[in-house]
Amino acid sequence: MNGRGRLLRETAWRVRAPLALSMAGAVVRQGGFLAAPFILQFAIDDGVIGGDLGAAAWWGGVVLVAGIAQFFGMCVWDHFANLADARTGVFLRERLRTCAIAGAGPSSGGTGDLLIRAGRDVDLVRVWVHGLPTWIVIAVTVGVLVPGLASLDPWLLLVAGATVPCLIVLAVVYPRRFERASMHAAEAHGRRADAVDHLLRSAVTVRGAGMGRAVVERHERMSADLTDRTVRAGGILARWTALGEGIPAVATAVGVVVAVFAVLDGRLTVGGLVTFSGWMATVGIAVQVGLQRWTQSADARVGAARLQPVLRVPHTTGEQAPAREIVLDGVRAFPGAEPIALTLAPGRLIGLSGPTGSGKSTLLRMIAGIEAPHAGRVLVDGAAATGAVGGVHLVPQRPLVLNGTVRENLALGAATGDGEDDDARYRRALAVVGLDAELAPRSVDPLDAPVGEGGGELSGGQVQRLALARALVVEPAVLLLDDVTSAVDPATGARIIAAIREVAAERIVVVAGHGAIIDAADTVLHLSVRTEVSA
């Protein structure tokens, strides 16, 4: 089972209770909906055609009961589908936020693309969950109409059944084409969002350097590509929908003609003709809704495929046993680099040094399993890593922080429910990174200090130290730190290094940087054109 399939199934399983109740309501609603045309047959034949007012009133009352059942079934269906939908959004966004902060995001994605994943892609999965009960409705419709049409006239069942092979052909041809086109459009959304984010963040800088037009042109290219890919996906969907809805419409027209002749031959009553017309209209609606749900399923697979690279790294606490060993077996970070053979285990602090562009950050992502090596393998406890390594917390050079307070950022993935104990751990971590004194003037309690949108209330060094404090609180199995002491004074740097060495005694810790933190490492990889290892 692929990653996106697991994610969709896990998501649906988490909201199984409201989904089950929604499906029960959907069955009641559809039962009443399908019963109404069948009951109307007797009202017409026995009451109207037969001239029996009492029979017409009786069957009319039964139709009313079926309508009431539809109403209450629809209320239950809609209420619990909305509840499952809402819980799905909360679950995915909470998990996305925690995993993204742990450094599990895709290497190619920026802030804009991450926002698209948290917005558009999560919504695609939410819509899919909301529509799951519809498949039960379609199954009930098929289960009722096959014997029902056969009981009216076998020829009517044959006419309705003729639509099946045509719909199967559509189901084989169009879903994959639409899914590919939808994925391309989703990726274009992410690229354009990154371009907008870059344009806004660098507006002052690029104008001063005379590069404003180049950045705007990049945004225009991304927008044009998004438009083109969206139109392509829309064209495929339009053809698929037109054919899917047109086939049952043609079958209904042919079926009415056959039914009229059946009435003239005495094989079908007038009430039966009305029932057939009502049921065939239901078939048309079922096909239309089924196509909509199928496209939503394709969209959900696209959304899950884009969410899965961020969500695939479990965010763990200190309760999880640390990973025993990670082996770099001939790993090359980029073409031309010398292969790296190194064993990472608890008890030794591993340092990565080298000039800018030598691949330190890239190698950290490879150790985490977030990015595949150019060559070689990453072995986790003797097995080749096929995806991201569990229990990893990566603190990048530009970490992600959320708009809120210091406490809210430190609590991500680390809160135990014991407020006093949690706050005590948060304060110790702030003290280690030297933020307690710096944040004290901003709030009565440093934990209540606001960080601002994207960490705007903090300096770049403070944002990175806040991310490091979060990592120390979480106590992950594997801690990867990218240049976390570059913007601190020597005294604070010494406290940070002492804390990192303490963590390294029991967990796998790799640091990239220069200066004192590299001097404190037990083993250092010097990355350059030719990689060197020293102990």
Side-chain angles (χ1 to χ4, degrees):
M1 187 189 303
N2 58 30
R4 64 185 180 182
R6 283 194 298 271
L7 176 60
L8 291 176
R9 285 166 176 76
E10 177 188 356
T11 302
W13 181 250
R14 288 186 66 90
V15 294
R16 59 189 179 277
L19 270 182
L21 291 170
S22 178
M23 289 177 181
V27 169
V28 172
R29 183 268 179 191
Q30 194 66 3
F33 186 75
L34 294 173
F38 182 73
I39 298 168
L40 192 59
Q41 171 185 358
F42 298 101
I44 293 174
D45 290 341
D46 297 347
V48 178
I49 303 298
D52 188 339
L53 186 59
W58 163 258
W59 289 114
V62 177
V63 170
L64 178 61
V65 171
I68 294 173
Q70 287 184 59
F71 172 75
F72 283 106
M74 191 70 224
C75 289
V76 173
W77 175 6
D78 205 36
H79 172 77
F80 287 103
N82 286 335
L83 183 60
D85 173 340
R87 288 182 179 176
T88 295
V90 171
F91 162 64
L92 289 177
R93 290 193 174 102
E94 285 287 338
R95 189 173 164 195
L96 182 68
R97 178 182 68 175
T98 302
C99 292
I101 285 176
S107 59
S108 60
T111 303
D113 185 50
L114 183 61
L115 291 175
I116 291 295
R117 293 172 198 256
R120 179 181 185 273
D121 295 323
V122 167
D123 287 340
L124 293 178
V125 179
R126 287 178 52 239
V127 170
W128 171 75
V129 168
H130 189 102
L132 283 176
T134 305
W135 295 110
I136 298 297
V137 170
I138 293 174
V140 169
T141 301
V142 172
V144 170
L145 293 194
V146 169
L149 291 173
S151 67
L152 292 177
D153 191 306
W155 284 101
L156 298 180
L157 178 61
L158 181 63
V159 170
T163 64
V164 174
C166 300
L167 295 174
I168 289 176
V169 171
L170 292 182
V172 171
V173 172
Y174 278 96
R176 290 185 179 180
R177 293 179 60 190
F178 176 71
E179 186 173 341
R180 286 195 298 269
S182 183
M183 173 61 83
H184 293 157
E187 291 170 347
H189 266 288
R191 289 192 295 269
R192 203 274 295 271
D194 276 345
V196 172
D197 181 63
H198 182 259
L199 179 63
L200 295 175
R201 288 177 181 270
S202 60
V204 175
T205 303
V206 297
R207 280 202 302 268
M211 297 184 295
R213 186 58 196 166
V215 176
V216 172
E217 288 176 351
R218 176 174 178 266
H219 171 261
E220 291 174 347
R221 288 195 303 273
M222 297 296 182
S223 297
D225 181 58
L226 173 59
T227 300
D228 179 61
R229 294 184 182 277
T230 302
V231 169
R232 290 183 191 178
I236 294 172
L237 178 59
R239 291 189 293 273
W240 185 11
T241 303
L243 290 172
E245 295 179 4
I247 290 171
V250 171
T252 299
V254 173
V256 168
V257 173
V258 172
V260 168
F261 279 104
V263 171
L264 295 177
D265 291 342
R267 292 182 288 109
L268 186 68
T269 65
V270 174
L273 174 60
V274 172
T275 298
F276 171 76
S277 301
W279 278 348
M280 285 305 293
T282 302
V283 170
I285 295 172
V287 170
Q288 182 179 358
V289 173
L291 285 170
Q292 185 181 34
R293 295 295 180 257
W294 207 316
T295 58
Q296 289 171 354
S297 297
D299 282 337
R301 289 192 294 272
V302 170
R306 283 174 46 79
L307 291 170
Q308 200 268 337
V310 184
L311 302 182
R312 63 186 174 184
V313 178
H315 197 67
T316 60
T317 67
E319 297 176 357
Q320 177 173 330
R324 295 187 299 272
E325 184 179 81
I326 298 178
V327 175
L328 307 182
D329 181 18
V331 168
R332 298 176 190 262
F334 51 84
E338 287 295 315
I340 299 172
L342 183 68
T343 298
L344 310 176
R348 292 179 64 81
L349 177 61
I350 307 299
L352 306 179
S353 72
T356 302
S358 60
K360 299 188 295 296
S361 300
T362 301
L363 186 57
L364 287 178
R365 298 183 68 82
M366 290 177 178
I367 293 171
I370 298 168
E371 189 167 335
H374 176 71
R377 299 180 301 166
V378 176
L379 304 176
V380 180
D381 294 334
T386 56
V389 179
V392 170
H393 196 112
L394 170 63
V395 180
Q397 289 180 326
R398 296 177 58 190
L400 176 67
V401 297
L402 302 180
N403 186 18
T405 65
V406 170
R407 178 186 286 104
E408 288 168 340
N409 274 272
L410 293 178
L412 291 169
T416 65
D418 184 340
E420 292 186 5
D421 181 66
D422 286 343
D423 279 1
R425 291 187 297 118
Y426 302 157
R427 294 184 204 283
R428 288 195 296 270
L430 287 181
V432 168
V433 301
L435 279 179
D436 53 344
E438 293 182 25
L439 295 176
R442 302 189 181 191
S443 175
V444 175
D445 187 340
L447 294 178
D448 294 326
V451 302
E453 184 68 37
E457 296 289 331
L458 307 177
S459 67
Q462 288 174 330
V463 167
Q464 194 166 42
R465 281 185 285 156
L466 177 60
L468 175 58
R470 183 166 54 209
L472 295 176
V473 170
V474 171
E475 297 181 340
V478 181
L479 181 58
L480 307 176
L481 307 174
D482 196 352
D483 209 12
V484 294
T485 59
S486 59
V488 298
D489 60 81
T492 301
R495 291 202 304 271
I496 292 174
I497 292 171
I500 292 173
R501 286 197 60 85
E502 184 179 346
V503 173
E506 297 181 350
R507 302 174 187 279
I508 295 174
V509 181
V510 183
V511 297
H514 57 275
I517 195 166
I518 295 299
D519 294 338
D522 300 302
T523 299
V524 180
L525 273 70
H526 302 284
L527 301 182
S528 58
V529 176
R530 180 180 179 84
T531 302
E532 301 173 356
V533 179
S534 65

